[in-house]
C-alpha cells in the first residue's frame, strides 16, 4: 500500500497488531493464487489494485461519506436489497467472510462446529480487524440459515444489527411476508439516514444496480467460449470485488474488462488449452479471499467456467423490473426479483436444480463440483438432489465439503485429480 492508512484504522477502533498480521498474510497468498497466472487480461489490473489496497481507498471513501453525514450499510447476503440503501443515499457494502484468519477469534465465543463463513464474519467484528464493519452504521442480517440467525443475535451485542426475515418457502404467503419485510426495510433505512426513499431514488438505484448485474452477466457469457478467455479465479475475483466497490465504477471496470475479453474470443485466444476440462462450481458462496477450490482446480489443469452460487450467477442473473411507478410498485418489483434467488434455505428449491443443469449445458461443463462449507446443512442435504438431477443428465459430479483451512489440501488434491482423470477418460 502506498498511502499510510494507520491513523484511519486506529480512528475506526481497529486492533492494529492483529490487522497487521492479517494484511501481512494476504500478499503471498495473492501472489501464489493470482499473480502467478499467465496471460491474464490487462483489465484485471484494476482488481489487483483493489485487492492490494483492500483496506485503503475504498474504506477512505466510505469514511468520507460518513463524515459528510452519509450512512454505510453492511450486508452478508444477496437477499438484502441494495436498491433501497442506495435510494436513501447510503452506501451498501457486502462484507467479506472468506478467511481462516478470523475463524479462531470467533471460536472464542461461537461453537466450533459452525460453518466457516459464519465464524469468519463474526471473528472480523469480535477481533476488530475489518475496517468495513467498523465504518458501517448498520449490519443487515437475514434468517437464511439457523447458524447465521443465531450468530446475528450475538453480533447485535457488538454492533447495530437489523434482521430481515427471508421466508423458507416460495408460496404466496411467503412472498407476501417478504414484500412486508422489504417495505419494513425501507423504513429502517429511512430512519437510519433521515432521507426519504422516493420513487425517483428507487428508479435511479434500480437502474444502477441492474447495470452492474448486466456487466457481470456479460463477463460470465464470455466464459462460454472455447478456449476460455479468462480464468475462473479472475472471474470469481471480479464478482467478489463487486460486492463492496462503488457500483458505477464497478460497472465501468467490468465492461472495460469485457471489451478486452470479447476481443480475445474474436482472436481465438484463451487462458487454458481448448481441451482443458470445463468445470461448473455450484453451492455455498466464496467470500473474498476464499479462492481455495478455484486454485485447486485450475492448478490441476481444469478451468472453472461458471459458479452457480451467490458469488456467481445467483448474484446477478435476475434484474429488477425497471417500470418505475409508485414507491409501493417499485418495492414490490424489488421484492419479487429477490424471491427468484434459489438459495438452499428454500424448501422445495427445485429451481436451483434446473439452474445447475441449464448452466452446465450453456457453459459446456464437463463436470460439476458441488462446493459445500462444512456444517452447512442446507447445501449438504440439497446436494443429494443435485447429484440425482445431474446423474439423470449424465453429468459427472464431485461433492466437496471443506472449510477455509489448508488442512485437507492433500486429500482434496487427490480427489480433484481423480475426478479430472475420470472426465478426461
Ligand atoms: S442467498 S447462499 S448468501 S444465505 S454456507 S452461512 S447457508 S451454513 S451463505 Fe448464503 Fe444468502 Fe443463501 Fe446466498 Fe448458512 Fe450455509 Fe454457512 Fe451460508
Amino acid at each position: 500500500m502506498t498511502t499510510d492508512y494507520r491513523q484511519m484504522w486506529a480512528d475506526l477502533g481497529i486492533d492494529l497488531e492483529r490487522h497487521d498480521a492479517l494484511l501481512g498474510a494476504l500478499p503471498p497468498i495473492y501472489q501464489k493464487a493470482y499473480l502467478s497466472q499467465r496471460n491474464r487480461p490487462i483489465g484485471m489490473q484494476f482488481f489487483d489494485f483493489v485487492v492490494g489496497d483492500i483496506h485503503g481507498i475504498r474504506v477512505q471513501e466510505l469514511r468520507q461519506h460518513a463524515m459528510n453525514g452519509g450512512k454505510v450499510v453492511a450486508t452478508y447476503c444477496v437477499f438484502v436489497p441494495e436498491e433501497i440503501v442506495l435510494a436513501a443515499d447510503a452506501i451498501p457494502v457486502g462484507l467479506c467472510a472468506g478467511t481462516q484468519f478470523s475463524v479462531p477469534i470467533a471460536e472464542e465465543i461461537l461453537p466450533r462446529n459452525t460453518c466457516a463463513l459464519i465464524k469468519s464474519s463474526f471473528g472480523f467484528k469480535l477481533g476488530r480487524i475489518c475496517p468495513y464493519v467498523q465504518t458501517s452504521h448498520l449490519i443487515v442480517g437475514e434468517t437464511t440459515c439457523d447458524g447465521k440467525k443465531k450468530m446475528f443475535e450475538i453480533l447485535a451485542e457488538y454492533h447495530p444489527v437489523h434482521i430481515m426475515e427471508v421466508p423458507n418457502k416460495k408460496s404466496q404467503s411467503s412472498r407476501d411476508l417478504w414484500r412486508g419485510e422489504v417495505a419494513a426495510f425501507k423504513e429502517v433505512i429511512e430512519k437510519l439516514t433521515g432521507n426519504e426513499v422516493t420513487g425517483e431514488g428507487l428508479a435511479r438505484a434500480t437502474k444502477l444496480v441492474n447495470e452492474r448485474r448486466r456487466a457481470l452477466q456479460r463477463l460470465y457469457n464470455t466464459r462460454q467460449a472455447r478456449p476460455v478467455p479468462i480464468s475462473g479465479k479472475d472471474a470469481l475475483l471480479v464478482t467478489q470485488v463487486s460486492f463492496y466497490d462503488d457500483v458505477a465504477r464497478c460497472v465501468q471496470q467490468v465492461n472495460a474488462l469485457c471489451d478486452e475479453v470479447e476481443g480475445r474470443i474474436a482472436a481465438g485466444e484463451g487462458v487454458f488449452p481448448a481441451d482443458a476440462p470445463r468445470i461448473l462450481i455450484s453451492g455455498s458462496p466464496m467470500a473474498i479471499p476464499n479462492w481455495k477450490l478455484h486454485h485447486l482446480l485450475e492448478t490441476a489443469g481444469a478451468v472453472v467456467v461458471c459458479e452457480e452460487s451467490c458469488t456467481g450467477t445467483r448474484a446477478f442473473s435476475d434484474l429488477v423490473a425497471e417500470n418505475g411507478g409508485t414507491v409501493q410498485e417499485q418495492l414490490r418489483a424489488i421484492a419479487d426479483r429477490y424471491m427468484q434467488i434459489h438459495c438452499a434455505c428454500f424448501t422445495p428449491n427445485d429451481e436451483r436444480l434446473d439452474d445447475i443443469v441449464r448452466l452446465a449445458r450453456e457453459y459446456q461443463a464437463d463436470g460439476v463440483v458441488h462446493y459445500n462449507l462444512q456444517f452447512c446443512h442446507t447445501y449438504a442435504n440439497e446436494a443429494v438432489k443435485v447429484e440425482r438431477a445431474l446423474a439423470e443428465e449424465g453429468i459427472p459430479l464431485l461433492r466437496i465439503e471443506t472449510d477455509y483451512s489448508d488442512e485437507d489440501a492433500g486429500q482434496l488434491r487427490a480427489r480433484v485429480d481423480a475426478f479430472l482423470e475420470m472426465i478426461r477418460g
Side-chain angles (χ1 to χ4, degrees):
M1 270 182 217
T2 46
T3 316
D4 187 0
Y5 296 111
R6 292 187 80 75
Q7 189 56 51
M8 174 177 76
W9 296 329
D11 293 345
L12 287 168
I14 292 289
D15 178 334
L16 291 177
E17 207 174 310
R18 261 184 176 152
H19 189 249
D20 283 349
L22 171 68
L23 288 196
L26 192 57
I29 298 172
Y30 198 70
Q31 171 68 41
K32 193 170 152 206
Y34 275 87
L35 303 179
S36 62
Q37 296 179 100
R38 293 172 56 200
N39 194 20
R40 297 175 73 212
I42 293 167
M44 285 308 298
Q45 283 176 359
F46 168 75
F47 299 92
D48 289 341
F49 169 76
V50 170
V51 176
D53 189 68
I54 197 152
H55 287 177
I57 288 179
R58 184 62 182 143
V59 177
Q60 206 169 50
E61 287 175 353
L62 298 175
R63 203 162 145 67
Q64 193 55 52
H65 177 70
M67 282 171 171
N68 295 339
K71 300 294 181 209
V72 176
V73 177
T75 63
Y76 288 110
C77 173
V78 294
F79 258 97
V80 180
E82 293 168 83
E83 293 85 352
I84 295 173
V85 178
L86 289 164
D89 290 329
I91 300 180
V93 55
L95 293 176
C96 37
T99 173
Q100 175 65 18
F101 189 89
S102 53
V103 168
I105 304 172
E107 286 175 347
E108 289 169 20
I109 291 186
L110 298 184
R112 294 195 70 189
N113 57 350
T114 301
C115 113
L117 196 145
I118 297 174
K119 287 190 286 196
S120 182
S121 45
F122 184 72
F124 270 121
K125 178 63 205 180
L126 192 67
R128 292 185 290 113
I129 47 177
C130 176
Y132 293 95
V133 178
Q134 298 300 110
T135 311
S136 71
H137 300 89
L138 181 70
I139 291 177
V140 185
E142 9 64 45
T143 59
T144 43
C145 77
D146 290 350
K148 263 188 181 178
K149 197 160 64 185
K150 290 292 143 184
M151 179 273 279
F152 287 133
E153 283 179 24
I154 307 171
L155 189 66
E157 294 168 15
Y158 301 86
H159 204 91
V161 170
H162 170 73
I163 301 291
M164 296 188 78
E165 184 172 353
V166 176
N168 285 175
K169 292 176 77 175
K170 292 170 185 168
S171 60
Q172 192 51 53
S173 57
S174 294
R175 289 176 195 280
D176 292 344
L177 181 150
W178 178 241
R179 283 176 179 172
E181 282 296 298
V182 169
F185 182 55
K186 168 192 157 280
E187 282 173 26
V188 168
I189 293 298
E190 285 181 332
K191 194 167 167 215
L192 177 78
T193 59
N195 297 332
E196 190 191 344
V197 171
T198 62
E200 215 172 75
L202 279 175
R204 178 177 32 86
T206 296
K207 194 166 177 295
L208 184 63
V209 180
N210 274 349
E211 271 178 37
R212 190 188 60 207
R213 293 183 181 122
R214 284 194 194 94
L216 291 168
Q217 286 171 6
R218 185 180 164 203
L219 179 67
Y220 266 53
N221 287 342
T222 66
R223 300 168 74 192
Q224 295 181 8
R226 188 187 292 262
V228 184
I230 182 169
S231 71
K233 260 191 287 195
D234 278 336
L236 173 67
L237 181 66
V238 171
T239 314
Q240 289 172 331
V241 167
S242 74
F243 283 99
Y244 65 96
D245 195 18
D246 173 75
V247 185
R249 178 172 53 214
C250 184
V251 171
Q252 194 200 344
Q253 292 295 337
V254 177
N255 277 324
L257 177 64
C258 289
D259 290 343
E260 182 188 354
V261 172
E262 285 166 0
R264 284 182 164 204
I265 296 174
E269 219 183 297
V271 279
F272 288 87
D275 61 352
R278 301 168 66 93
I279 301 296
L280 165 73
I281 291 181
S282 169
S284 309
M286 296 167 173
I288 199 168
N290 177 7
W291 306 304
K292 184 174 170 177
L293 186 55
H294 282 64
H295 184 62
L296 196 61
L297 284 159
E298 295 195 336
T299 50
V303 53
V304 179
V305 289
C306 183
E307 297 82 19
E308 187 281 321
S309 88
C310 290
T311 42
T313 53
R314 269 182 252 141
F316 54 75
S317 286
D318 299 297
L319 304 179
V320 174
E322 293 180 32
N323 298 336
T326 64
V327 170
Q328 276 65 32
E329 284 164 348
Q330 293 193 60
L331 287 178
R332 187 174 276 224
I334 289 169
D336 291 351
R337 180 266 167 199
Y338 282 80
M339 275 297 279
Q340 293 174 51
I341 301 167
H342 305 313
C343 173
C345 67
F346 285 101
T347 182
N349 190 33
D350 293 344
E351 295 88 342
R352 177 169 168 242
L353 309 180
D354 298 341
D355 283 349
I356 296 169
V357 170
R358 177 180 51 79
L359 290 167
R361 296 271 177 249
E362 284 175 7
Y363 287 79
Q364 303 166 61
D366 298 304
V368 174
V369 175
H370 192 273
Y371 172 75
N372 191 165
L373 280 172
Q374 215 175 12
F375 310 119
C376 173
H377 305 306
T378 45
Y379 280 93
N381 281 284
E382 199 157 279
V384 175
K385 284 191 155 191
V386 172
E387 190 158 25
R388 274 190 223 141
L390 290 172
E392 276 173 26
E393 298 293 323
I395 302 168
L397 171 75
L398 174 67
R399 280 169 67 173
I400 297 270
E401 189 161 335
T402 187
D403 58 14
Y404 293 165
S405 74
D406 279 330
E407 281 167 21
D408 57 356
Q411 188 215 22
L412 289 183
R413 164 68 69 189
R415 293 188 61 212
V416 161
D417 284 346
F419 183 62
L420 296 180
E421 212 172 295
M422 187 266 287
I423 285 177
R424 287 189 186 106

